[in-house]
Amino acid sequence: MADLSVDLGFRTLKSPLIAASGTFGYGEEFLPFFDLDILGGVIMKGIFREPRPGNPPPRLHETPAGLLNSIGLAGPGSEKLQESIRRLRARTPVPIIVNVCGEDDDEFVAVAETFSAMAEVAMLELNISCPNVRQGGACPAQDAGHTARLVGRVKERIRKPLIVKLSPNVGDIVGVALAAQDAGADALSLVNTFLGLAVDIDARRPVFANIYAGLSGPAIKPLALRLVREVCRKAYVPVIGIGGISSGRDVLEYILVGAAAVQIGTINFREPAAALRITNEIEAEMERLKIGNLSEIRGQLQT
Ligand code: SIN
């Protein structure tokens, strides 16, 4: 039997598959489809202190091999999320990860402290990379200095492992990754969505009110794989690969370039039980390739 467990250094997960923030609701929505405890973790939709309406519709736009979103981090606020987390924990032991957001650094720190104090929460993911909050896609992850200051402040105030989620919309993702690592990130997750544009030719306007939106799905997989490889070559903290994963083979590709684990996102919208299928596919590929544990091939891409 293939052993799917992965070691992040600070914690062992039973599977490399983690449900990505914003594609898996607050976990409860997916309970009817499969046993969530097969996953390495479930990441909640990004959360601020107060409820947020998010961006005006339309918020989603399909492309031939991907999905553009401009949700704007809509959410119920920290108090309601705490209730959802308690309900989810009562129904499954899957590790729960909170995706922490903030309008400014003080809010990031406050939200991180709130969820760090919850026994039900395994880890935090700091969302410094959402491209849909400010026009033009600006976010803290575009600046290594800002990333370092913010990660340092958050780390000082929490007692849970901290994953920092990076943006692909930068000139030097390795520089930002190392800034986050040196400031205390326990792991890095990459990449968030690529900034894109959709045009309505009848209206002669952008499809989205915010003009640009974030592209995810199979279209971004080769781009994301390259960035994950580059960060893995330089960082010593574990990297969680994200971008267009929709099969077991895709997962092995990310592990070969150096990822310790992966997140599955856009596929969850199309196929709610995708994680179950992908888990079976990983096992089948591991048996076919005679891999006992994914650590045997992690970072073993031959060039
Ligand atoms: C959104 O809510 O706009 C997407 C979340 C993200 O990209 O982090």
Side-chain angles (χ1 to χ4, degrees):
M1 267 305 272
D3 169 16
L4 260 57
S5 68
V6 293
D7 183 10
L8 298 181
F10 51 89
R11 184 178 178 126
T12 299
L13 304 178
K14 69 159 56 164
S15 163
L17 281 191
I18 299 171
S21 177
T23 68
F24 213 71
Y26 302 103
E28 280 182 296
E29 296 90 332
F30 284 75
L31 286 167
F33 297 105
F34 66 99
D35 177 2
L36 303 194
D37 193 31
I38 64 165
L39 289 167
V42 168
I43 310 184
M44 307 285 102
K45 170 72 183 158
I47 200 76
F48 288 76
R49 198 163 25 201
E50 301 300 330
R52 269 171 79 89
N55 293 341
R59 291 172 163 190
L60 295 176
H61 179 80
E62 283 191 59
T63 71
L67 181 70
L68 279 161
N69 91 78
S70 179
I71 308 295
L73 291 171
S78 291
E79 208 175 304
K80 282 269 183 274
L81 180 60
Q82 289 178 66
E83 291 165 19
S84 301
I85 288 172
R86 289 191 192 103
R87 279 199 308 273
L88 182 63
R89 173 54 70 246
R91 300 194 52 194
T92 167
V94 70
I96 296 173
I97 303 169
V98 173
N99 184 274
V100 172
C101 303
E103 277 291 343
D104 54 31
D105 292 10
D106 290 344
E107 185 175 359
F108 271 107
V109 174
V111 174
E113 271 189 294
T114 299
F115 289 98
S116 171
M118 283 191 83
E120 296 86 350
V121 172
M123 306 171 218
L124 305 180
E125 179 178 64
L126 199 63
N127 189 351
I128 58 171
S129 50
C130 176
N132 302 325
V133 176
R134 293 190 175 61
Q135 231 183 40
C139 59
Q142 287 176 323
D143 180 70
H146 189 179
T147 297
R149 281 193 304 281
L150 179 52
V151 171
R153 280 191 63 192
V154 169
K155 263 306 271 189
E156 245 172 43
R157 305 299 292 265
I158 63 169
R159 295 179 305 278
K160 295 262 154 86
L162 182 67
I163 304 165
V164 177
K165 186 168 184 178
L166 302 182
S167 168
N169 307 307
V170 294
D172 174 20
I173 196 169
V174 174
V176 182
L178 298 184
Q181 169 186 278
D182 294 347
D186 298 290
L188 304 166
S189 56
L190 59 137
V191 291
N192 206 321
T193 52
F194 284 78
L195 207 54
L197 171 64
V199 172
D200 177 341
I201 60 166
D202 293 298
R204 300 188 183 185
R205 295 183 60 81
V207 166
F208 295 106
N210 210 28
I211 307 178
Y212 299 145
L215 182 67
S216 61
I220 72 164
K221 198 189 82 181
L223 306 171
L225 262 177
R226 177 181 75 84
L227 296 174
V228 168
R229 175 171 185 260
E230 290 191 0
V231 170
C232 288
R233 279 155 63 91
K234 293 282 190 280
Y236 57 77
V237 295
V239 169
I240 301 171
I242 320 168
I245 292 171
S246 43
S247 71
R249 292 177 72 97
D250 292 342
V251 175
L252 265 63
E253 289 179 27
Y254 273 90
I255 304 290
L256 272 168
V257 303
V262 297
Q263 293 182 16
I264 51 167
T266 307
I267 189 73
N268 297 319
F269 292 123
R270 187 151 56 88
E271 186 189 340
L276 181 56
R277 172 182 57 77
I278 295 172
T279 301
N280 293 333
E281 289 176 2
I282 299 171
E283 280 175 345
E285 286 299 333
M286 287 174 72
E287 271 161 37
R288 184 177 73 81
L289 296 166
K290 305 205 180 342
I291 300 166
N293 181 274
L294 291 172
S295 60
E296 294 163 26
I297 61 159
R298 180 172 161 197
Q300 293 301 310
L301 186 73
Q302 305 297 310
T303 54

